[in-house]
């Protein structure tokens, strides 16, 4: 009986550790490992939808000017803001340093593009402890997927569109 109890406790601990390994500790978003394992992606794989790739603009400038703690807070602020407008079936992943991926089952790219274009500029600035205010902005790209087999291609398309939007923003602000 003791061995059975120990195995049951070990199984619970293993499930807890596996879940924790799929969550980015800084932002609370799912991480890339979660994506690779398919964690929380049942709705996305079983249906059509949209992927959105979002990349914070000028995070390096925030880190250089205010320190990495301010950059971390900007990442947290951004992730919380994005999560606040997601549906329960939508998933947010921290894809890389300052890049996020959102899977939006049953959504269409045109609708999500319009929603993000309206939402992202409305993210309020981050107030730092020293009274400074840091604006949090992001570039994004979206693409539709037909089913779970089409996700990789849609992510690549959305990523390319995000980089094109970032280049356009930089060209526009430099002019």
């Amino acid at each position: 009986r003791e061995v059975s109890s120990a195995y049951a406790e070990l199984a619970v601990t293993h499930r807890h550790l596996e879940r924790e390994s799929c969550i980015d500790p800084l932002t609370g978003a799912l991480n890339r490992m979660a994506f690779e394992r398919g964690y929380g992606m049942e709705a996305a794989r079983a249906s059509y939808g949209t992927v959105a790739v979002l990349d914070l603009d000028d995070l390096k400038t925030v880190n250089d000017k205010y320190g990495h703690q301010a950059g971390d807070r900007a990442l947290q602020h951004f992730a919380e803001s994005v999560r606040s407008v997601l549906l329960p079936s939508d998933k947010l992943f921290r894809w890389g340093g300052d890049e996020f991926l959102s899977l939006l089952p049953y959504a269409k790219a045109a609708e999500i593009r319009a929603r993000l274009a309206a939402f992202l500029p409305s993210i309020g600035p981050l107030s730092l402890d020293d009274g400074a205010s840091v604006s949090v902005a992001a570039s994004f790209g979206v693409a539709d997927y037909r089913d779970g087999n089409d996700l990789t291609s849609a992510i690549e398309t959305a990523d390319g569109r995000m980089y094109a939007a970032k280049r356009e923003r930089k060209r526009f602000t430099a002019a």
Side-chain angles (χ1 to χ4, degrees):
R1 218 171 74 166
E2 287 180 26
V3 170
S4 294
S5 177
Y7 275 124
E9 191 173 318
L10 185 60
V12 168
T13 301
H14 181 265
R15 282 192 304 274
H16 174 74
L17 289 173
E18 188 172 65
R19 182 184 182 289
E20 289 297 312
S21 72
C22 290
I23 297 174
D24 175 55
L26 179 65
T27 63
L30 294 168
N31 61 25
R32 201 169 190 140
M33 183 186 306
F35 180 87
E36 291 168 4
R37 291 182 178 174
Y39 189 81
M41 293 176 39
E42 297 78 15
R45 285 196 168 148
S47 65
Y48 68 91
T50 298
V51 297
V53 175
L54 306 107
D55 188 87
L56 263 70
D57 293 335
D58 305 318
L59 185 64
K60 182 180 178 347
T61 302
V62 172
N63 284 334
D64 291 349
K65 186 173 182 178
Y66 300 105
H68 288 279
Q69 190 172 24
D72 287 351
R73 289 194 49 214
L75 286 164
Q76 292 166 334
H77 179 66
F78 179 73
E80 289 168 10
S81 298
V82 171
R83 260 196 310 271
S84 74
V85 297
L86 294 178
L87 300 174
S89 60
D90 300 341
K91 299 298 176 210
L92 181 65
F93 297 84
R94 184 167 179 202
W95 202 239
D98 60 352
E99 192 169 277
F100 291 82
L101 170 78
S102 186
L103 297 179
L104 304 113
Y106 311 109
K108 293 288 188 181
E111 167 199 344
I112 298 305
R113 188 177 305 105
R115 280 177 43 197
L116 287 172
F119 165 72
L120 289 174
S122 74
I123 295 176
L126 173 66
S127 296
L128 301 178
D129 294 337
D130 65 0
S133 181
V134 174
S135 66
V136 177
S139 298
F140 70 92
V142 298
D144 287 327
Y145 64 90
R146 293 180 301 273
D147 57 34
N149 297 323
D150 196 31
L151 278 174
T152 301
S153 175
I155 292 168
E156 289 171 2
T157 299
D159 196 49
R161 290 174 178 165
M162 180 276 299
Y163 279 110
K166 190 173 281 291
R167 281 190 302 275
E168 182 65 20
R169 181 194 61 79
K170 286 183 180 185
R171 187 180 68 78
F172 180 73
T173 56

